[in-house]
Amino acid sequence: MAVQRVHRTSYAVDVAAPAGVVYGLVADTTQWPLFVPASIHVERLDFDGVQDRFHMWATANGTVRSWLSRRTLDAGARRIDFRHELPAAPTTGMGGSWSVEPRGADRCRLVLEHDFTVAGDRPQDVAWVRRATDDNSRAELDRLKETAEQWTRLDGLLLAFEDAVRVDGPAELVYGFLYDVADWPRLIPHVARLDVTEDEPGVQLMSMDTVTADGSAHTTESVRVCFPHAGRIVYKQTATPALMAAHTGEWSVIPDETGVTVVSQHSVLLREEAVERVLGPGTTLAEARTYVRSALGRNSTATLELAKQHAENAVRML
């Protein structure tokens, strides 16, 4: 039996931020979709402070892949070792480490290393994995550096909120409205165009044109991961409006004894340097937060209300 060759990669970036700040960004996988460009969604399965096990969805060379991963965190050494339990094809093994090396009180070096094996060690597959690893790793380090260097202002750049609507109708009809996005242009007034593909069940790639209250149009691209049995759809915008460096969200359909509550959640990382360019000279970060909260909340609440009408009208017709 042939022994599989182990391929290795290593990447590093110097960061003008304390080592503890950088380690904290890497350690919290639940925030990766905001801070790591390729990361779409992280579903944490187990975490005890040292052992972290999760299901990850991420982009690789323009496709969406998913895998189970386990990490061991050593906060004292500022090192995290990881290994994929169920690697995504064509890899048969993938692992590595993150390490943060202090370079003074407010500087450090972030190092990311991988080792991987590929089924049959076919050159074209090795090249595919290496390209995806190179592109994603460099983008990860660049975005983590950018985010960490804003650490004194990061709380003001992060925005999270939710809106909810009560529905007197079946959860299945509400979920179906939110899932069947191909129908949205004819059902939702602020959606001018929407193209969706679903090559893998439950994973939707979506491109959408929306019209804001002032009549301007925005094009966004998103990846959605759907959990029909849990009544959840999580998503990440992979092409965002200028004000947002990252935007993730979730639609949740929660039934109870008397009806359904449908919730829209948003998490946003604002792009500080775009505030005055987009909203005008003198606009403050606080005003930008209010603007984004209002714009996103208005559209998502409109969608929730239409899902409510859809479900309740269908029940009355029956």
Side-chain angles (χ1 to χ4, degrees):
M1 182 176 177
V3 177
Q4 287 186 311
R5 179 185 173 189
V6 178
H7 303 268
R8 301 184 187 277
T9 63
S10 181
Y11 314 88
V13 66
D14 291 322
V15 186
V21 169
V22 176
Y23 178 82
L25 291 178
V26 177
D28 186 2
T29 53
T30 64
Q31 293 296 304
W32 276 17
L34 283 177
F35 301 142
V36 175
S39 177
I40 300 300
H41 177 63
V42 175
E43 194 82 3
R44 178 170 270 170
L45 304 176
D46 298 294
F47 182 60
D48 62 7
V50 175
Q51 298 296 324
D52 184 14
R53 186 169 178 266
F54 54 90
H55 195 167
M56 164 81 84
W57 285 260
T59 56
N61 294 337
T63 65
V64 178
R65 302 297 174 99
S66 68
W67 58 83
L68 286 176
S69 188
R70 182 182 296 276
R71 307 193 309 165
T72 301
L73 286 72
D74 185 340
R78 296 192 182 92
R79 179 184 174 92
I80 301 171
D81 295 307
F82 61 88
R83 184 68 49 187
H84 294 186
E85 292 185 4
L86 294 175
T91 61
T92 56
M94 174 68 81
S97 66
W98 295 87
S99 57
V100 185
E101 304 167 358
R103 293 287 193 270
D106 295 317
R107 300 191 67 85
C108 62
R109 170 165 289 187
L110 176 60
V111 180
L112 171 58
E113 297 182 326
H114 291 90
D115 60 78
F116 63 89
T117 55
V118 174
D121 209 40
R122 293 181 291 271
Q124 65 271 27
D125 289 341
V126 171
W128 191 96
V129 175
R130 187 174 292 277
R131 183 170 71 254
T133 303
D134 284 349
D135 290 347
N136 285 357
S137 297
R138 296 183 196 284
E140 288 168 12
L141 293 183
D142 287 346
R143 176 61 65 80
L144 287 167
K145 169 184 169 70
E146 177 185 350
T147 303
E149 290 180 348
Q150 297 174 311
W151 69 281
T152 59
R153 307 184 306 283
L154 195 54
D155 285 348
L157 297 174
L158 291 170
L159 177 64
F161 63 92
E162 66 178 42
D163 297 295
V165 169
R166 189 71 180 163
V167 181
D168 185 16
E172 294 80 7
L173 289 177
V174 178
Y175 185 87
F177 183 94
L178 298 172
Y179 175 82
D180 293 328
V181 289
D183 294 335
W184 281 11
R186 65 179 180 83
L187 298 174
I188 301 178
H190 66 261
V191 176
R193 178 196 61 86
L194 195 150
D195 298 320
V196 61
T197 59
E198 189 171 343
D199 295 331
E200 177 184 344
V203 178
Q204 298 177 331
L205 278 66
M206 189 172 80
S207 175
M208 179 171 64
D209 293 340
T210 58
V211 180
T212 61
D214 62 7
S216 60
H218 296 279
T219 299
T220 58
E221 295 179 1
S222 305
V223 177
R224 307 203 320 165
V225 182
C226 306
F227 303 93
H229 297 296
R232 298 171 58 221
I233 299 172
V234 298
Y235 63 88
K236 176 177 178 175
Q237 286 189 343
T238 52
T240 58
L243 270 177
M244 296 184 284
H247 174 207
T248 65
E250 178 171 340
W251 303 98
S252 303
V253 181
I254 307 167
D256 57 36
E257 295 81 1
T258 61
V260 171
T261 301
V262 56
V263 181
S264 170
Q265 297 173 296
H266 296 273
S267 295
V268 174
L269 176 62
L270 294 173
R271 184 175 283 117
E272 188 173 18
E273 67 275 15
V275 170
E276 292 194 40
R277 173 165 49 86
V278 174
L279 299 180
T283 304
T284 66
L285 184 57
E287 290 170 332
R289 290 171 61 87
T290 299
Y291 175 88
V292 170
R293 168 63 175 99
S294 176
L296 292 179
R298 182 170 51 249
N299 283 351
S300 60
T301 300
T303 302
L304 294 178
E305 291 288 353
L306 289 166
K308 169 185 173 74
Q309 293 175 24
H310 172 78
E312 293 179 348
N313 289 342
V315 169
R316 284 194 290 270
M317 290 175 66
L318 292 174

